[in-house]
Amino acid sequence: MEYFVQQLINGLTLGAVYGLIAIGYTMVYGIIGMINFAHGEIFMIGAFHALIIALGLGITTGTWIPVALVAALVGTMLLTPIYGWALERVAYRPLRGSPRLATLITAIGMSIYLPNQVQLLQGARIKTLPPVLQGGFEIMEGGGFVVTLSYLQILIMVLTVTLMVAFTLIIEKTALGRAQRACEQDRTMAALSGINVDRTIALTFVMGATLASVAGMIFLLRYGVIDFFIGFLVGIKAFTAAVLGGIGSLPGAMLGGFLIGLIEAFWSGYFTVEYKDVAAFSILVLVLIFRPTGLLGKPDIEKV
Amino acid sequence: MLRISGVHTFYGNIEALRGIDIEVNEGEIVTLIGANGAGKSTLLMTVCGNPRATHGTVTFEGRDITRAPTHDIIRLGIAQSPEGRRIFPHMTVMENLQMGAVTADPAHFDEDLERAFSLFPILADRRSQRGGTLSGGEQQMLAIARALMSRPRLLLLDEPSLGLAPMVVKKIFEIINEINEQRGITVFLVEQNAYHALRLAHRAYVMVTGKITLTGSGADLLADPEVRAAYLEGGHG
């Protein structure tokens, strides 16, 4: 039981990372119908921004750890979206209206270019951040096993849930969210309503990148090790989460993220760590066979 | 108010509009009638810059809008209830109306909503229902109500009577007349239902395969033997 609870906690915090990235995949897919395969690289760049700011502020030596943490978080949330915006502006907007294959190939191209750029600028060696946030609560004990909930895990959950609630409210309640949903449902009519469609799409990339940057920061704090290549596997997992939840659905992306995190944690905990990726992707295969629209994806109800 | 001069528009390689000249004056209801595929809807969309005219100019209140992006054209005070109604299917009636008010002063919203509901009371009952679940007639009412939410000076209506029961058609045309007379909104109406449209219109144009072939007052065209033969014989709604 205690072991189970521990894996549950681990899985949820891991799932938070996937969920935050998956939202970016699902929002971009929703609005322009493309899979932005470079989105995982935006996450990686977010982790680098957070690391550079944290180290720049002397997080390893100073007594200002909380300040440095907040600065790294805010900094990466401000800097990383510039990449998201530029990606859309440079690579995708010129191809709007061209065949899907062209944008898909471009996305793959950008997902090769971005890690190489980071490798050139930051070097190929792994970068480490010593644990800055240690300790936690011991919430259960039994059979010689202690269940701990670390401060970091609490921070991750609070941050993730806050962001997910905030973004859901933006999409559901604000004029910007309405404009995004309008572009998603009928881009021509959105323009006829006076919406600047290009700007709305760019803002969607910016919002997705903001969430991915937070995921990057969480990844950095959780594992303490990053390199230019982390975007690939995490990106693919988050994409899997988005498809599992139903691509295009915001709650689906969050649910999918947490599910993938839990599957990985339980598989690692009860079976083997080596095959955790296989477990996650196998679930995806099963869902696609039996429920192709994903868990929360719904087929279109449209009446003409 | 709206002047379309020498406009040609292409869809791919097909020349849908072949040199159109139309003028809509302030306060008028101008009707454009024509058969399926004549290019009527293309013309309304060309006014809104999607697709753009390849030759010729479109001016609105003296301003050249031929090359302006769609959202800027809408901000000048033009609203369109487009072909196929284009209700946002997953948004509620309320949200669809909010989408219509994107370019409007938010301070007017409550008042405009009130007016939309008094024009189409059924929409008030359906306000939290999703657009995609409305009936055809309700969708048409919503499309017109949505277009009015921006307080346009020029309203472009694309076949508001299409696929509706005769009673509803009659109601829609009454409301178009009311919008024009009471609110002073200029209306450019595209229709296949020539009888109702010509009766309503101050002036009218007839379009055949991308060209204007006839023009005159609504009453003149209603009496014209060619128009009668082509668009009115065989009963009128």
Side-chain angles (χ1 to χ4, degrees), chain A residues 168-252:
Chain A
T168 307
L169 287 178
I170 289 175
I171 301 289
E172 292 293 323
K173 303 284 180 210
T174 68
L176 169 64
R178 227 169 15 246
Q180 287 179 310
R181 284 182 290 140
C183 291
E184 192 174 323
Q185 291 171 33
D186 188 338
R187 222 186 289 169
T188 304
M189 191 59 226
L192 280 180
S193 311
I195 301 278
N196 185 338
V197 173
D198 279 339
R199 207 188 59 182
T200 308
I201 292 172
L203 276 172
T204 306
F205 275 83
V206 164
M207 286 166 72
T210 308
L211 294 180
S213 72
V214 177
M217 165 116 180
I218 292 174
F219 185 93
L220 173 72
L221 293 176
R222 198 167 187 271
Y223 296 103
V225 181
I226 61 169
D227 62 28
F228 67 94
F229 207 62
I230 57 169
F232 178 72
L233 191 60
V234 176
I236 294 286
K237 289 255 186 66
F239 170 62
T240 305
V243 174
L244 177 64
I247 190 127
S249 154
L250 197 64

Side-chain angles (χ1 to χ4, degrees), chain B:
Chain B
M1 186 181 217
L2 177 72
R3 177 172 295 167
I4 300 165
S5 35
V7 161
H8 293 251
T9 302
F10 284 83
Y11 263 124
N13 289 324
I14 300 158
E15 190 175 17
L17 301 180
R18 305 190 286 174
I20 301 290
D21 296 287
I22 284 180
E23 188 156 358
V24 180
N25 301 312
E26 188 154 9
E28 279 186 316
I29 298 180
V30 174
T31 288
L32 175 65
I33 58 173
N36 259 335
K40 306 184 300 297
S41 300
T42 306
L43 181 66
L44 284 195
M45 288 306 285
T46 302
V47 169
C48 294
N50 176 23
R52 292 205 183 125
T54 42
H55 304 283
T57 54
V58 182
T59 59
F60 177 64
E61 295 180 331
R63 197 189 301 232
D64 186 347
I65 56 169
T66 322
R67 306 259 159 263
T70 303
H71 55 92
D72 285 344
I73 294 173
I74 300 305
R75 281 178 194 277
L76 293 175
I78 299 180
Q80 182 172 173
S81 162
E83 181 181 31
R85 298 156 195 151
R86 287 185 175 258
I87 298 301
F88 296 109
H90 304 295
M91 287 192 189
T92 63
V93 166
M94 193 68 181
E95 286 175 321
N96 269 284
L97 292 172
Q98 285 173 321
M99 283 306 300
V102 162
T103 62
D105 182 348
H108 296 155
F109 184 77
D110 289 337
E111 189 191 329
D112 292 347
L113 188 69
E114 205 57 48
R115 288 212 281 186
F117 286 160
S118 69
L119 216 47
F120 302 106
I122 186 81
L123 294 181
D125 302 335
R126 300 264 190 268
R127 71 177 80 192
S128 43
Q129 198 171 318
R130 278 171 195 267
T133 66
L134 299 180
S135 75
E138 290 163 351
Q139 287 196 352
Q140 188 58 60
M141 292 178 200
L142 178 55
I144 296 174
R146 179 177 63 185
L148 288 172
M149 289 301 287
S150 63
R151 295 200 171 184
R153 291 193 298 286
L154 173 63
L155 178 62
L156 308 175
L157 294 172
D158 197 335
E159 300 215 34
S161 75
L162 189 71
L164 302 184
M167 283 301 291
V168 186
V169 172
K170 196 157 166 281
K171 170 109 198 294
I172 295 265
F173 279 104
E174 279 168 17
I175 283 171
I176 295 170
N177 195 37
E178 193 183 321
I179 290 165
N180 175 255
E181 278 183 358
Q182 290 177 13
R183 298 197 200 168
I185 296 173
T186 310
V187 176
F188 185 28
L189 170 69
V190 157
E191 260 299 341
Q192 285 199 64
N193 192 330
Y195 175 74
H196 277 293
L198 290 176
R199 278 193 3 153
L200 188 69
H202 301 114
R203 291 190 304 112
Y205 294 83
V206 177
M207 187 188 240
V208 178
T209 56
K211 282 186 171 161
I212 299 295
T213 56
L214 261 180
T215 174
S217 73
D220 285 350
L221 289 192
L222 208 50
D224 186 286
E226 267 182 64
V227 173
R228 294 195 71 85
Y231 303 103
L232 295 170
E233 301 299 319
H236 31 73

